[in-house]
């Protein structure tokens, strides 16, 4: 394991990785509203997690590479190509970041957007649990490269930066296909809990439980959504996030399937044993991540303002995709907007200082960033 570091400054920083040399343009992006940029130059940054000592880590999905390619499930005409450029990075207290795990597999489209690689990090003690996204039929992984088998898996990472595959989550979809339909697995968010890890598989439309020995089982199915005209069929929930609430239940955010109509997504409450699923907050749009603070307030990150009519829309499609905002629901209250004007924001975490930390420009291979938003406690 080698370490790469990158600080926020106005000139490019050149760093060495274990398997390749890369350079990063780290010009600081403009702050968003009251949020301050604390790290820039990240490669497709997605989920965030705080270690027990208060250090903040981010999953970088990487820049792909020149390896074998496979089609993109949302658009089969596009190819996503393999490289070992994914990473787990620690955000430095003085600003910037240092890469503590490198060489993880990554799949990236020609425009630089990652569609496979590290996407979330959750801590259980000092060990980090990392989810590796995939998307599509897991049978295609083997042909990509030496570490292609790691897509669709959970990794366990030590404080020293070594890692091992804890479980093949996508293999569960092949064996069980709990929601039916096409075989499709995209492990996205992960929540590490004592005795288990819960994965929100956005492709399988299910929560998957992973035991410490790597065994998997379907923990809960997230119900399909009602049809919204002019779409005549029920829509997939596409669970993108899972977190534990102050009541011990699990809370799951829905991206929903295309089109992302405004106000048609929800946060679902799932009983701690997976036995019951009910809507907790509705009227949301394209939820991509969730977090609770110490006072029990729920933070909801949206990645789109919502599709507008007519349907299909005039070019370019999805006029609201990528225009995000952060909302907060105080206990007993209704969701209120804390921050808007985000661009493909993907992750949110609440720090020991009570501030909200977010990834922004999460589909950029060179300009991804982490923001810090100071927030006052709920009254």
């Amino acid at each position: 394991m080698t370490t790469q570091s990158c600080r926020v400054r106005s000139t490019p920083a050149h760093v060495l990785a274990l398997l390749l040399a890369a350079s990063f343009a780290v010009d600081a992006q403009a702050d968003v509203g009251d949020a301050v940029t604390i790290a820039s130059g990240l490669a497709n940054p997605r989920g965030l997690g705080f270690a027990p000592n208060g250090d903040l880590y981010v999953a970088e999905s990487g820049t792909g590479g020149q390896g074998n390619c496979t089609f993109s499930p949302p658009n089969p005409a596009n190819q996503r190509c393999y490289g070992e450029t994914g990473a787990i990075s620690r955000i430095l207290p003085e600003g910037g970041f240092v890469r503590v795990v490198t060489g993880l597999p990554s799949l990236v489209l020609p425009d630089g957007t990652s569609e496979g690689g590290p996407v979330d990090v959750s801590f259980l003690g000092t060990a980090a649990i990392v989810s590796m996204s995939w998307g599509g039929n897991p049978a295609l992984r083997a042909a990509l490269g030496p570490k292609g088998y790691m897509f669709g898996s959970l990794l366990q990472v030590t404080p020293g930066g070594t890692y091992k595959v804890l479980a093949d989550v996508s293999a569960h979809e092949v064996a069980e296909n709990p929601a039916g339909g096409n075989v499709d697995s995209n492990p996205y968010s992960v929540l590490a809990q004592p005795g288990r890890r819960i994965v929100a598989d956005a492709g399988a439309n299910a929560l998957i439980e992973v035991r410490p020995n790597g065994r998997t089982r379907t923990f809960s199915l997230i119900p399909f959504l009602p049809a919204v005209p002019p779409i005549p069929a029920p829509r997939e929930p596409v669970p993108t996030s899972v977190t534990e609430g102050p009541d011990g239940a699990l809370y799951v955010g829905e991206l929903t399937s295309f089109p992302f109509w405004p106000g048609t997504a929800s946060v679902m409450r799932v009983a701690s044993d997976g036995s019951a699923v009910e809507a907790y907050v509705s009227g949301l749009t394209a939820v991509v991540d969730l977090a609770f603070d110490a006072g029990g307030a729920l933070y909801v990150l949206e990645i789109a303002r919502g599709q507008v009519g007519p349907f299909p829309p005039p070019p370019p499609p999805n006029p609201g995709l990528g225009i995000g905002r952060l909302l907060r629901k105080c206990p007993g209250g209704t969701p209120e907007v804390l921050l808007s004007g985000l661009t493909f924001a993907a992750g949110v975490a609440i720090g020991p200082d009570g501030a909200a930390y977010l990834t922004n420009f999460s589909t950029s291979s060179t300009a991804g960033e982490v923001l810090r938003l100071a927030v006052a406690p709920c009254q």
Side-chain angles (χ1 to χ4, degrees), residues 33-343:
D34 293 331
V36 177
T37 302
I38 61 171
S40 183
L42 294 153
N44 282 287
R46 303 297 170 87
L48 298 156
F50 278 93
N53 66 355
D55 285 344
L56 177 61
Y57 289 79
V58 59
E60 290 185 85
S61 285
T63 59
Q66 301 301 311
N68 292 338
C69 303
T70 185
F71 68 89
S72 166
N75 185 357
N78 279 343
Q79 294 285 298
R80 46 183 186 169
C81 298
Y82 175 91
E84 295 174 2
T85 55
I88 304 299
S89 296
R90 178 168 55 87
I91 304 302
L92 300 173
E94 66 271 26
F97 65 94
V98 57
R99 290 198 170 117
V100 297
V101 179
T102 58
L104 298 178
S106 169
L107 287 177
V108 167
L109 297 169
D111 67 1
T113 301
S114 173
E115 279 197 355
V119 286
D120 200 16
V121 56
S122 179
F123 280 87
L124 185 64
T126 59
I129 306 300
V130 174
S131 54
M132 300 287 294
S133 68
W134 165 244
N137 191 325
L140 300 175
R141 296 176 295 176
L144 289 173
K147 297 181 182 178
Y149 69 95
M150 292 169 59
F151 292 117
S153 71
L154 280 190
L155 306 182
Q156 181 171 299
V157 181
T158 70
T162 62
Y163 60 87
K164 66 177 182 179
V165 174
L166 180 63
D168 186 344
V169 180
S170 290
H172 183 88
E173 168 71 0
V174 175
E176 303 290 341
N177 193 4
N182 295 332
V183 174
D184 182 6
S185 177
N186 188 11
Y188 208 78
S189 177
V190 60
L191 171 65
Q193 294 184 310
R196 67 185 187 183
R197 294 85 174 106
I198 304 295
V199 180
D201 190 327
N205 293 306
L207 297 185
I208 308 301
E209 180 186 80
V210 178
R211 307 298 292 182
N213 62 5
R215 293 196 175 193
T216 60
R217 75 176 182 97
T218 302
F219 182 77
S220 182
L221 288 177
I222 306 304
F224 273 55
L225 302 166
V228 176
I231 305 299
R235 295 169 302 129
E236 298 182 55
V238 191
T240 52
S241 46
V242 57
T243 191
E244 183 178 359
D247 58 353
L250 304 182
Y251 291 79
V252 180
E254 297 174 331
L255 180 73
T256 76
S257 54
F258 175 84
F260 308 103
W261 297 116
T264 60
S266 298
V267 172
M268 308 299 290
R269 180 186 182 276
V270 181
S272 60
D273 62 357
S275 60
V277 182
E278 61 184 353
Y280 178 69
V281 183
S282 298
L284 303 168
T285 305
V287 177
V288 71
D289 205 9
L290 303 172
F292 279 95
D293 68 17
L298 174 63
Y299 292 72
V300 180
L301 185 62
E302 298 177 335
I303 199 171
R305 71 184 182 199
Q307 180 70 61
V308 297
F311 184 84
N318 297 329
L321 188 60
I323 302 173
R325 59 182 187 169
L326 177 68
L327 300 91
R328 180 175 68 175
K329 180 187 181 303
C330 292
T334 57
E336 297 180 339
V337 177
L338 291 182
L339 184 67
S340 57
L342 296 165
T343 304

